[in-house]
Amino acid sequence: MNQIAKEISDIFLQKFATVPNLYYSPGRINLIGEHIDYNDGYVMPASIDKGVYYAVAANGTNTLNFFAADLNEALSIDITGVKKLDNWRNYVLSVVNEFLLLQKPVTGFDCVFGGDIPRGSGMSSSAAVEGGLAYAINEIFNCGMNRVELALLCQRAEHNYPGVNCGIMDMYASINGKKDCVILLDCKNITHEYFPLKLDGYKIVLLNTKVHHTLASGEYNIRRKRCEEGMVVLKQELGVTSFRDIKSAADVELHKDKMSTEVFNCCKFVVEEIARTQKAAELLQQNDLAGFGQLMYAGHWGLSKLYDVSCPESDFLVTLAAADKNVLGARQMGGGFGGCTINIIKEEAIEKFIAETTVDYKKQFSIELEAYVMAISDGVYRIVE
Ligand code: GLA
């Protein structure tokens, strides 16, 4: 058991009388395919070795007792009174609420959780919080749901109390990940394939801009609305049913005058990013990491110039990466407006690249960069000693 799991377990034992089940629920990275999980695209995430640890046990009452260890905050609430509150409380209560809406046999439980995902880093701590709790509840109360159903439940939970109209990628990756593999997730049909990630001498490194995004701030939902608006036009003009059916951005271009510039730019990006992700999957199978990296760069500039979800800090880090021959690809990862960039870097060059980038970044923005060399873990699981 690692140190954090032990701490969470110890806190649980101090607070509650029973012995809990322990779970690990990972955050995620996404290699390519951004903002297309809610646009019927393909995405390529993986679950990681940073995540949320849970200690949970049924308590035989009707009370839910939560303790968020990282924040030192507690919540006790009767299960019949589950409702929208605020902050982390919305994530856990919304998950419980979804089980109740399905009339699953859930009763009171005690729960301590905490982890090591830097907040606002774009590694999806919220999906890890939701997925870990959903998995624990499903197991402890024998709700009989499979991993795909749990991911969909968590997505509904995030839409409901927290109010973020997210796609399926984050929770799907957190729940269905596989060690050393990336997931090629078909977000239209909700099916996936695993590809072993063979990086031969390269590693995935995240650079944390430390600029925090809050998806709930509304920008995310605005992007989603723009795509929906564009799709209404494209359906009518091109006779398609989804972004996936549009052959190339040139087809979108034909109908530019029927949309606002923002809506057009978003639609163009989506069509291009869907194509990039499909191409990236082919290149990965051919072990063409250099070609894969070029698609990452192209994706970044699409996010920045067309989808308008980047920021000067992310653009700066990607520009530095592109100027270094040891970095095959880099782009901003996740919802946007900061968080982390994801980089594929030659192993022996990592230390130097991080050191130099840290200095340049500090000079430019007066922010201390953080870097993480990533490992890919299994999706949510129960920790068995
Ligand atoms: C957030 C959302 C995901 C996805 C990404 C962007 O992480 O939760 O569903 O849309 O942004 O790719």
Side-chain angles (χ1 to χ4, degrees):
M1 193 190 303
N2 80 5
Q3 187 54 31
I4 310 177
K6 178 145 188 354
E7 277 165 30
I8 296 297
S9 162
D10 287 348
I11 296 173
F12 188 100
L13 296 174
Q14 280 158 27
K15 291 192 171 293
F16 306 108
T18 41
V19 178
N21 286 354
L22 291 177
Y23 299 91
Y24 173 64
S25 179
R28 63 104 188 89
I29 51 173
N30 183 27
L31 273 93
I32 195 158
E34 219 64 88
H35 286 278
I36 53 174
D37 60 343
Y38 53 87
N39 282 314
D40 288 340
Y42 302 88
V43 293
M44 209 185 283
S47 44
I48 54 174
D49 59 343
K50 287 189 187 300
V52 174
Y53 294 80
Y54 266 97
V56 187
N59 61 20
T61 73
N62 272 332
T63 307
L64 307 173
N65 295 309
F66 291 101
F67 184 69
D70 300 334
L71 303 166
N72 198 24
E73 286 180 10
L75 165 71
S76 288
I77 187 166
D78 194 277
I79 197 158
T80 56
V82 164
K83 60 176 181 211
K84 183 171 169 168
L85 292 172
D86 59 2
N87 302 327
W88 63 269
R89 286 166 277 269
N90 275 343
Y91 293 93
V92 292
L93 291 179
S94 204
V95 167
V96 176
N97 181 49
E98 290 300 327
F99 278 97
L100 298 178
L101 288 173
L102 293 174
Q103 303 190 320
K104 297 291 182 187
V106 181
T107 56
F109 58 83
D110 303 326
C111 167
V112 176
F113 68 99
D116 59 355
I117 303 181
R119 253 185 295 159
S121 62
M123 286 184 241
S124 245
S125 52
S126 53
V129 167
E130 291 155 353
L133 183 60
Y135 190 85
I137 291 177
N138 186 51
E139 195 176 85
I140 291 169
F141 296 102
N142 293 314
C143 298
M145 296 177 73
N146 66 35
R147 284 176 183 260
V148 174
E149 290 168 335
L150 289 177
L152 289 165
L153 178 147
C154 290
Q155 186 191 21
R156 293 196 299 276
E158 181 134 351
H159 288 187
N160 202 346
Y161 293 179
V164 181
N165 288 326
C166 64
I168 186 68
M169 171 169 76
D170 301 350
M171 33 290 283
Y172 200 95
S174 176
I175 295 176
N176 294 283
K178 185 169 169 185
K179 195 171 163 48
D180 298 329
C181 288
V182 294
I183 305 167
L184 180 64
L185 170 61
D186 175 337
C187 302
K188 187 170 183 216
N189 299 314
I190 318 290
T191 53
H192 71 265
E193 282 175 71
Y194 294 116
F195 292 120
L197 187 61
K198 290 195 228 96
L199 289 174
D200 305 327
Y202 285 83
K203 288 215 147 135
I204 291 180
V205 179
L206 301 190
L207 298 179
N208 191 347
T209 60
K210 304 259 195 78
V211 180
H212 297 299
H213 69 230
T214 41
L215 296 180
S217 73
E219 286 299 325
Y220 184 92
N221 291 351
I222 289 172
R223 295 303 175 286
R224 200 169 170 155
K225 275 229 157 66
R226 284 183 190 161
C227 295
E228 283 164 11
E229 213 181 301
M231 201 59 223
V232 172
V233 174
L234 296 169
K235 267 187 184 158
Q236 204 173 337
E237 300 296 332
L238 298 173
V240 293
T241 55
S242 123
F243 276 109
R244 179 181 291 203
D245 306 331
I246 301 174
K247 285 193 198 67
S248 83
D251 290 345
V252 181
E253 203 106 31
L254 290 175
H255 305 286
K256 191 174 177 174
D257 58 338
K258 302 178 188 84
M259 309 170 197
S260 69
T261 308
E262 287 84 7
V263 168
F264 167 74
N265 285 344
C266 283
C267 293
K268 183 168 189 240
F269 168 80
V270 167
V271 172
E272 289 178 346
E273 184 77 349
I274 290 177
R276 268 192 291 269
T277 307
Q278 285 173 292
K279 180 80 191 151
E282 277 170 40
L283 295 180
L284 199 61
Q285 281 167 296
Q286 295 158 10
N287 284 328
D288 182 354
L289 273 188
F292 190 97
Q294 287 306 312
L295 294 173
M296 292 172 75
Y297 285 123
H300 177 78
W301 294 112
L303 286 169
S304 178
K305 308 285 180 228
L306 292 175
Y307 217 70
D308 196 21
V309 290
S310 187
C311 58
E313 292 82 355
S314 297
D315 289 351
F316 182 84
L317 290 177
V318 172
T319 304
L320 283 186
D324 189 322
K325 65 175 182 345
N326 293 308
V327 188
L328 291 184
R331 54 177 209 85
Q332 180 183 258
M333 187 185 78
F337 310 102
C340 287
T341 62
I342 177 167
N343 305 260
I344 302 184
I345 312 183
K346 196 174 221 162
E347 237 173 304
E348 60 258 31
I350 292 176
E351 209 174 305
K352 185 158 172 277
F353 178 76
I354 292 176
E356 290 174 358
T357 309
T358 303
V359 172
D360 291 349
Y361 190 70
K362 186 148 190 199
K363 217 183 271 164
Q364 186 75 13
F365 298 106
S366 307
I367 302 175
E368 201 68 49
L369 192 72
E370 261 176 45
Y372 324 101
V373 180
M374 301 312 295
I376 297 181
S377 79
D378 280 321
V380 61
Y381 57 87
R382 178 163 170 203
I383 301 170
V384 190
E385 279 307 285

